[in-house]
Amino acid sequence: MTQTHKTQTPVLKTQVAIIGGGPSGMLLSLLLSKEGIDNVVLERSSRDHVLARIRAGVLEWGSVELLRRAGVGARMDRDGHVHNGTRVAWQGEHTMLIDSKKWTGKSFMAYGQSYVTEDLYAAVSEIETPVLHDVSDVQLHELTGASHVTFVQDGVAQRLDCDFIAGCDGFHGVSRQAIPASVQKNYEKVYPFGWLGVLSETPPLPDLWYVQHERGFALASQRSAMLSRYYVQCPITDRVEDWSDERFWNELIARFPPEIGSAIITGPSIEKSIAPLRSFVTEPMRYGALFLCGDAAHIVPPTGAKGLNLALSDVYYLWRGLTQHYQQGSDTLLDRYSEVALDRVWKTERFSWWMTSLLHVFPEQSSFDHRTQAAELNSILASEHAQAWLAEQYAGFPVEDWG
Ligand code: RFL
Ligand code: PHB
């Protein structure tokens, strides 16, 4: 990054301006810096705030490989928990293993998004790439001309001139809004329920469990040997205060088959939050110099654990495109970015929507709908072809040349 003062406004210059310092923005920054491509990250929140967010917990094997390749695999490989499959239970009695190792040769890793973000922040500060926190009023300008970003930090208006802008600022960010409405098409589905998530310092179940039950969906996940993450489907109108720890544990256990529910070790919650569920895609993912990555371009409901993994595969495609541009002077990968990323996005959107529809109780659902949900799960259990297809999708759609 270079700095000049042409007018009253300080003017910074870089090759790639990255809006948002979540996992997408920080991984892109790290990968570009390692190729010698100059970049600056502009983040709305403080570093502490970003690192305190509790979100995803499951990494596809491709994501594991990409993080290793970026040089941030050491703690993940030491503390993450490798799983060869995940379990599904339904109607309080049936169970099935989605055996991703058997059907795809791939495992997945339970390793919290907050740890991934911490690892990325540590690596980016080590190589001294600038990450500007607490910036406000970020605006994108002249996306098809002399692209630049303006923002305010510590009360000072600044301008960042750049070749490219990576919009990694999540669903509520500003980057997507900078694409003219005449060019943009949005697709959205909002689900009529939420997930109440609880973190507790208790030993988790050995496996991940996705649970369909007439009382609603439940999920058992994990962060470490002494940190469990659980979720129950709840009305979107509920507030966290409506859910005492006792009510949460009783509801969670009631949704599992009794022999599995009775193995859940309960304890005080250390975090509790309610997340809405949404499917969303914007097209195209590129406009002029702007490339959208991760939640800025698409949202999946968390059933299937795909949001962070999709964000990382977008970053991979964009990193390769930008590297080709700067090192080989060719834009063939950048020109295909939106098309290639959206192909994987839509397949993953379909899978996440399907897992959500199969495992949740919907308000308008009839007893017929409930029985056909169970029949669909029974059909998968009875068919090796169906199990292999499910395992392929849970393990993650292929990304050209990664992991
Ligand atoms: P993020 O993480 O939202 O980061 C965006 C960053 O941009 C900043 N920002 C701005 N900065 C500057 N100017 C502005 N105007 C800005 N506006 C916003 C924000 O402060 C933030 O730091 O997006 P990113 O990097 O694309 O990462 C996406 C993932 O966070 C997300 O997809 C996952 O968390 C989704 N997700 C899961 N994904 C998985 O792959 N596996 C899982 O197991 C999984 N579980 C989950 C999840 C998401 C959940 N919630 C809460 C939505 C479980 C839950 C409950
Ligand atoms: C999590 O561990 O937070 C988690 C795991 C699997 C999911 C969603 C969230 O599908």
Side-chain angles (χ1 to χ4, degrees):
M1 177 174 68
T2 54
Q3 183 165 12
T4 53
H5 282 261
K6 276 184 206 151
T7 59
Q8 296 298 81
T9 309
V11 181
L12 312 169
K13 193 163 171 33
T14 192
Q15 290 174 308
V16 183
I18 299 175
I19 318 295
S24 307
M26 294 305 281
L27 178 62
L28 182 65
S29 168
L30 181 62
L31 290 167
L32 292 177
S33 298
K34 282 178 179 275
E35 302 290 347
I37 300 169
D38 196 51
N39 65 91
V40 176
V41 180
L42 302 179
E43 167 57 50
R44 183 180 57 183
S45 304
S46 69
R47 182 180 167 130
D48 287 350
H49 180 89
V50 174
L51 295 180
R53 289 191 198 118
I54 295 169
R55 284 188 172 175
V58 174
L59 296 173
E60 293 172 2
W61 208 252
S63 301
V64 168
E65 292 284 339
L66 183 62
L67 292 168
R68 284 180 183 156
R69 205 158 149 179
V72 283
R75 184 165 70 138
M76 173 184 73
D77 284 327
R78 192 189 66 212
D79 297 347
H81 190 146
V82 175
H83 293 266
N84 291 333
T86 193
R87 295 192 187 269
V88 183
W90 62 102
Q91 292 201 307
E93 53 177 331
H94 308 290
T95 67
M96 159 172 79
L97 174 68
I98 306 176
D99 194 335
S100 49
K101 186 76 178 174
K102 172 175 170 185
W103 297 112
T104 71
K106 287 189 182 150
S107 308
F108 58 88
M109 175 92 84
Y111 188 63
Q113 177 171 329
S114 40
Y115 310 139
V116 172
T117 316
E118 271 174 20
D119 296 343
L120 288 167
Y121 268 87
V124 167
S125 39
E126 199 163 301
I127 53 177
E128 296 179 3
T129 300
V131 181
L132 309 187
H133 280 280
D134 300 305
V135 301
S136 58
D137 198 18
V138 172
Q139 292 182 36
L140 284 57
H141 305 272
E142 295 185 57
L143 297 176
T144 54
S147 302
H148 61 281
V149 180
T150 54
F151 61 97
V152 175
Q153 194 187 30
D154 297 329
V156 180
Q158 307 198 43
R159 171 182 165 136
L160 176 61
D161 289 348
C162 53
D163 303 334
F164 297 103
I165 302 171
C168 302
D169 49 350
F171 183 65
H172 300 287
V174 292
S175 302
R176 189 176 67 249
Q177 323 300 337
I179 301 180
S182 57
V183 176
Q184 195 175 49
K185 188 153 173 49
N186 294 333
Y187 303 83
E188 184 168 38
K189 188 175 189 66
V190 176
Y191 298 86
F193 41 72
W195 277 20
L196 169 67
V198 159
L199 202 59
S200 80
E201 286 169 327
T202 49
L205 292 176
D207 292 316
L208 267 79
W209 283 90
Y210 290 84
V211 179
Q212 183 262 14
H213 193 275
E214 61 188 15
R215 299 177 73 96
F217 170 80
L219 169 61
S221 182
Q222 51 191 240
R223 292 292 178 270
S224 67
M226 263 311 288
L227 197 55
S228 305
R229 182 73 168 156
Y230 294 104
Y231 299 92
V232 292
Q233 173 187 352
C234 68
I236 193 60
T237 45
D238 275 14
R239 291 162 312 139
V240 167
E241 305 77 70
D242 299 333
W243 287 85
S244 64
D245 284 2
E246 191 190 3
R247 180 177 173 208
F248 176 79
W249 291 119
N250 287 340
E251 190 57 47
L252 178 77
I253 290 168
R255 297 180 184 189
F256 278 77
E259 68 282 9
I260 300 144
S262 59
I264 293 175
I265 299 173
T266 65
S269 64
I270 57 168
E271 195 266 350
K272 220 182 252 165
S273 51
I274 294 179
L277 269 68
R278 183 193 301 273
S279 297
F280 174 86
V281 182
T282 196
E283 291 182 350
M285 284 173 60
R286 181 225 182 134
Y287 177 73
L290 170 66
F291 292 80
L292 299 177
C293 276
D295 282 14
H298 41 74
I299 295 286
V300 288
T303 336
K306 293 296 175 211
L308 174 62
N309 292 295
L310 260 191
L312 301 186
S313 61
D314 290 349
V315 167
Y316 173 80
Y317 289 132
L318 184 54
W319 165 56
R320 288 192 56 215
L322 290 169
T323 304
Q324 188 196 42
H325 172 88
Y326 286 111
Q327 294 180 354
Q328 293 163 33
S330 162
D331 284 345
T332 53
L333 292 176
L334 283 183
D335 288 343
R336 293 192 62 225
Y337 171 76
S338 183
E339 179 199 335
V340 171
L342 281 167
D343 179 64
R344 192 167 192 274
V345 166
W346 273 112
K347 287 175 185 157
T348 309
E349 287 282 345
R350 195 218 69 85
F351 174 65
S352 304
W353 159 81
W354 174 77
M355 280 279 277
T356 304
S357 310
L358 183 63
L359 299 176
H360 289 74
V361 174
F362 286 73
E364 71 282 7
Q365 201 166 10
S366 65
S367 53
F368 178 87
D369 298 328
H370 191 69
R371 291 301 286 266
T372 53
Q373 263 183 344
E376 189 162 355
L377 286 157
N378 289 333
S379 321
I380 298 169
L381 182 61
S383 160
E384 293 214 322
H385 300 289
Q387 286 182 37
W389 194 53
L390 174 53
E392 273 169 23
Q393 296 179 84
Y394 192 78
F397 291 98
V399 178
E400 185 197 327
D401 189 30
W402 88 334

